[in-house]
């Protein structure tokens, strides 16, 4: 007779087999406001596929069985091939099939950026590593569209919704993925300290052929079909941006040598590598001397993706914590019924919806940048501020959500542990927190008309609401400080700007229960500290906040 020492009860699995779009009222409303109703059928179907238990299982498998580097084949030929678990390929194919990689550029209908953001946000709630090559490929499209010969060769493959994982020259593939290589050992975020050198083959110039010699300390992601790479033209020459494929035009492998893969804290499903260029073949994009601005243009798009990806993790952490707390019994009633736990859950819900509204407003700005100064301001000024703040909040609050599940949240079997390990990458990649704050300060100084338009938009919402009006006037006063005084306050400035923007967006678009609680706990006289749940929600409709966050 088998032993039975106890019966397992009051234990609940991670949330799965649910619809992450239908249960997200704020996202549904944002899509409608953006005029993206035309995208709902595809997004609804995608959300239902993503929410299945088997998709969560694919995410777990892809992260448990990370990529492997095979530098040589069985006969000693250098191949630098990467081997991924089948779950990775299934998730990559799933994302590519939605058309999201090229949607903002291929589609012309209003709401295209909102539709893309929603799809990216939904996918990022389930698996994050697969979004890295998708992000870089998408961000490379507007740069390559300016290069006639390259676009003629690659355009159809970049717009393709077919997934082609074969390691072949681009001309023989149905679709391609692009990565980037900027960071070197000695430079980090200081790209101007880079030493990789490009030498022209022939006359050189835009569209000309070059050979690159040097290294990249972080090469994302080395399995991509090509990378955009920064290098000096000559040992002491200006910086330029180069298109460097895995294969040369003659069909031989390019001399991009993968030294090893990074053993990362998170982002385990995705490959990041260290490479050396042994006279690797490349094509000059843009003009010599414009390499940094060219790659920074690409970074403008990837930084938006960091905001969306971190907001996705915040959202998933919130719904997992809510779903668990509503089922788990403690001291005679569900965890979610205990007042102090309700404060934590409500704080998570407020942060999540504020991040969503901010990312959707940024998506609108990317779509409408050419229309007026306010849209340019949201894109150029608010994007680095949002990347700083939302990515930082994801790091903190995924940990707080993990604590809701207690020890069950801390084990690698669950979703929360993976989210917690994943969260820091967006805060580091594409510019760390200090880099984002310095970029914000530069944008405010250089884009004075756009900054004025942004402040005017915020003032229109803040008028008549004392906490918002006071926060705006304080912000304006800070902007009059001389640069040497303002720079040390850069993180405070970014934080206050984002909180004010989020409060205004919530006041315009969210139910009063959500907006009132956010303003009171972030900008009012009883504004919260950094610890989630350290908020005064007396007089607030906590039930409405939690019911809106996840109605399950």
């Amino acid at each position: 007779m088998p032993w039975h020492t106890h019966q397992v009860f009051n234990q609940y699995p991670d949330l799965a087999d649910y619809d992450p779009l239908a249960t997200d009222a704020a996202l549904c409303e944002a899509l409608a406001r953006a005029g993206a109703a035309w995208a709902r059928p595809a997004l609804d179907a995608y959300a239902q596929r993503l929410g299945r238990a088997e998709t969560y299982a694919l995410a777990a498998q892809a992260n448990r069985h990370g990529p492997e580097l095979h530098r040589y084949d069985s006969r000693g030929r250098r191949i630098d091939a990467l081997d991924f678990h089948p779950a990775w390929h299934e998730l990559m194919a799933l994302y590519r099939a939605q058309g999201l990689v090229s949607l903002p550029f291929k589609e012309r209908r209003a709401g295209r950026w909102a539709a893309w953001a929603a799809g990216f946000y939904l996918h990022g709630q389930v698996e994050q590593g697969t979004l890295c090559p998708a992000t870089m490929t998408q961000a490379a499209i507007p740069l390559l569209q300016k290069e006639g010969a390259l676009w003629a060769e690659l355009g159809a493959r970049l717009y393709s919704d077919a997934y082609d994982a074969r390691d072949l020259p681009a001309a023989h593939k149905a679709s391609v993925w692009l990565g980037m290589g900027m960071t070197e050992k000695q430079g980090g975020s200081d790209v101007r300290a880079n030493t990789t050198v490009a030498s022209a083959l022939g006359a050189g110039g835009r569209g000309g052929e070059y050979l690159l010699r040097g290294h990249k300390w972080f090469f994302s992601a080395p399995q991509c079909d090509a990378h955009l790479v920064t290098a000096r033209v000559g040992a002491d020459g200006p910086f330029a941006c180069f298109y460097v494929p895995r294969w040369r035009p003659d069909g031989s492998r390019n001399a991009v040598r993968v030294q090893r893969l990074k053993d990362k804290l998170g982002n385990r499903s995705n490959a990041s590598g260290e490479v050396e260029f042994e006279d690797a073949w490349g094509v000059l994009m843009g003009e010599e001397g414009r390499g940094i601005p060219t790659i920074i243009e690409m970074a403008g798009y990837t930084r938006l993706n960091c905001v969306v990806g971190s907001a996705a993790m915040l959202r998933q952490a919130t719904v997992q914590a809510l779903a668990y707390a509503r089922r788990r019994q403690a001291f005679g009633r569900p965890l979610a019924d205990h007042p102090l736990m309700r404060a934590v859950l409500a704080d998570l819900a407020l942060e999540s919806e504020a991040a969503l509204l901010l990312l959707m407003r940024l998506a609108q700005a990317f779509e409408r940048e050419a229309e007026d100064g306010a849209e340019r301001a949201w894109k150029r000024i608010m994007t680095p501020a949002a990347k700083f703040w939302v990515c930082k909040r994801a790091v903190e609050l995924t940990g707080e959500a993990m604590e809701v599940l207690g020890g069950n949240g801390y084990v690698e079997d669950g979703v929360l542990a993976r989210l917690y390990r994943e969260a820091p990458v967006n805060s580091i990649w594409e510019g760390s927190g200090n880099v984002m704050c310095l970029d914000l300060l530069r944008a405010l100084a250089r884009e004075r008309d756009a900054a004025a338009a942004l402040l005017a938009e915020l003032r229109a919402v803040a008028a008549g609401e004392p906490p918002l009006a006071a926060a705006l006037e304080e912000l304006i006063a800070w902007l009059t400080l001389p640069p040497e005084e303002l720079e040390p306050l850069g993180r405070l400035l970014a934080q206050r700007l984002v909180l004010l923007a989020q409060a205004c967006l919530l006041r315009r678009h969210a139910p009063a229960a959500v907006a009132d609680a956010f303003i009171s706990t972030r900008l009012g006289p009883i504004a919260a500290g950094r610890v989630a749940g350290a908020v005064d929600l007396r007089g607030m409709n906590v039930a409405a906040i939690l019911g809106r966050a996840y109605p399950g």
Side-chain angles (χ1 to χ4, degrees):
M1 173 179 287
W3 281 88
H4 295 285
T5 62
H6 68 286
Q7 180 181 2
V8 177
F9 65 99
N10 199 28
Q11 284 281 4
Y12 300 94
D14 290 333
L15 177 65
D17 287 326
Y18 79 109
D19 188 328
L21 177 53
T23 56
D24 191 340
L27 179 57
C28 293
E29 293 163 7
L31 286 167
R33 282 196 303 273
W38 54 268
R40 278 298 301 267
L43 288 170
D44 285 332
Y46 191 36
Q48 291 160 20
R49 176 67 175 85
L50 288 168
R52 295 177 190 169
E54 53 262 38
T55 310
Y56 278 92
L58 290 173
Q61 292 164 7
N63 282 272
R64 187 177 301 115
H65 307 287
E68 296 180 355
L69 171 63
H70 301 281
R71 295 174 69 186
Y72 299 92
D73 70 8
S74 62
R75 295 298 181 264
R77 288 180 287 265
R78 188 72 183 258
I79 57 173
D80 290 325
L82 276 79
D83 184 25
F84 288 84
H85 190 273
W88 164 272
H89 292 296
E90 191 166 343
L91 289 164
M92 290 284 284
L94 181 63
Y95 187 83
R96 188 102 199 199
Q98 311 310 309
L100 294 166
V101 170
S102 59
L103 176 63
F105 306 107
K106 184 167 61 175
E107 179 62 59
R108 303 315 307 164
R109 284 178 284 186
R112 58 190 178 276
W113 275 94
W116 159 78
F120 192 96
Y121 180 76
L122 291 165
H123 189 103
Q125 292 179 49
V126 179
E127 210 288 311
Q128 297 79 39
T130 41
L131 292 177
C132 178
T135 286
M136 293 181 295
T137 303
Q138 176 195 337
I141 288 175
L143 277 67
L144 287 164
Q145 285 176 331
K146 301 175 184 177
E147 309 299 321
L150 285 174
W151 184 251
E153 175 188 349
L154 299 169
R157 295 173 177 86
L158 288 166
Y159 276 1
S160 172
D161 299 339
Y163 178 61
D164 190 339
R166 296 175 298 166
D167 188 10
L168 297 172
H172 301 297
K173 296 189 64 174
S175 64
V176 294
W177 299 95
L178 298 185
M180 66 162 60
M182 290 193 291
T183 306
E184 297 184 7
K185 294 183 181 74
Q186 71 284 349
S189 296
D190 183 7
V191 180
R192 296 185 186 279
N194 286 0
T195 60
T196 296
V197 173
S199 303
L201 289 173
R206 187 169 195 164
E209 299 175 282
Y210 290 73
L211 296 180
L212 279 69
R213 182 175 297 180
H215 82 282
K216 295 299 172 183
W217 185 231
F218 279 90
F219 202 61
S220 302
Q223 76 274 14
C224 288
D225 298 286
H227 291 77
L228 305 192
V229 173
T230 52
R232 289 185 179 275
V233 180
D236 299 313
F239 285 99
C241 180
F242 297 88
Y243 170 83
V244 181
R246 275 181 64 82
W247 296 81
R248 291 172 177 260
D250 63 5
S252 63
R253 291 184 180 274
N254 207 358
V256 180
R257 309 304 187 196
V258 183
Q259 303 303 102
R260 63 172 177 171
L261 299 184
K262 297 290 191 182
D263 187 8
K264 297 169 292 184
L265 167 69
N267 204 243
R268 306 289 294 187
S269 66
N270 180 49
S272 303
E274 301 168 19
V275 303
E276 291 191 353
F277 303 123
E278 299 176 0
D279 287 342
W281 182 89
V283 174
L284 176 63
M285 295 178 57
E287 306 295 337
E288 294 183 4
R290 296 292 299 168
I292 305 301
T294 298
I295 209 75
I296 289 299
E297 180 183 347
M298 183 177 182
Y301 292 99
T302 56
R303 288 170 178 174
L304 171 63
N305 291 45
C306 288
V307 177
V308 183
S310 288
M313 285 185 266
L314 272 172
R315 171 66 185 172
Q316 182 65 191
T318 298
V319 297
Q320 290 290 347
L322 263 171
Y324 184 83
R326 284 171 175 160
R327 292 177 291 176
R328 176 79 168 181
Q329 298 285 319
F331 309 107
R333 53 180 168 165
L335 272 174
D337 287 351
H338 290 268
L340 194 52
M341 179 57 75
R342 289 172 70 77
V344 172
L345 296 171
D347 212 10
L348 291 172
L350 294 172
E351 196 75 36
S352 177
E353 182 158 352
L356 171 67
L357 290 192
L358 181 59
L359 79 87
M360 294 300 277
R361 180 64 184 85
L362 292 175
Q364 174 185 312
F366 273 68
E367 182 171 319
R368 303 177 183 175
E369 177 192 7
E371 295 182 10
D372 59 51
E375 300 300 334
R376 175 170 176 75
W378 279 92
K379 180 181 179 182
R380 180 64 188 92
I381 295 171
M382 286 300 305
T383 298
K387 182 186 179 301
F388 165 76
W389 183 248
V390 175
C391 295
K392 294 287 187 192
R393 298 301 282 160
V395 175
E396 178 179 351
L397 295 178
T398 52
E400 195 67 52
M402 184 169 61
E403 188 174 323
V404 173
L405 276 68
N408 287 335
Y410 194 65
V411 296
E412 293 288 358
D413 294 337
V415 171
L416 269 299
R418 186 168 72 249
L419 289 176
Y420 184 66
R421 285 188 287 101
E422 189 74 26
V425 68
N426 285 336
S427 193
I428 297 169
W429 189 51
E430 296 304 275
S432 62
N434 282 355
V435 171
M436 290 300 96
C437 293
L438 292 172
D439 192 32
L440 166 64
L441 293 174
R442 282 192 296 270
L444 287 168
R446 296 174 181 174
E447 304 272 356
R448 295 189 179 276
D449 290 344
L454 173 62
L455 294 173
E457 182 175 328
L458 297 177
R459 183 178 289 109
V461 182
E465 186 145 0
L468 298 183
L472 177 61
E473 293 310 312
E474 182 181 40
L475 185 67
I476 292 172
W478 278 37
L479 295 178
T480 64
L481 294 173
E484 64 274 12
E485 292 185 34
L486 192 55
E487 181 175 329
L489 302 172
R491 287 190 170 217
L492 271 174
L493 177 70
Q495 173 183 316
R496 293 185 180 190
L497 175 61
V498 172
L499 288 175
L500 177 60
Q502 288 179 321
C504 289
L505 289 169
L506 287 166
R507 178 56 77 211
R508 287 184 65 184
H509 303 303
V514 175
D516 289 346
F518 185 90
I519 293 168
S520 174
T521 56
R522 271 67 173 174
L523 298 175
I526 52 172
R530 284 296 302 274
V531 179
V535 291
D536 185 350
L537 292 173
R538 290 175 294 180
M540 302 296 171
N541 191 342
V542 174
I545 294 169
L546 297 180
R548 176 175 171 81
Y550 179 65

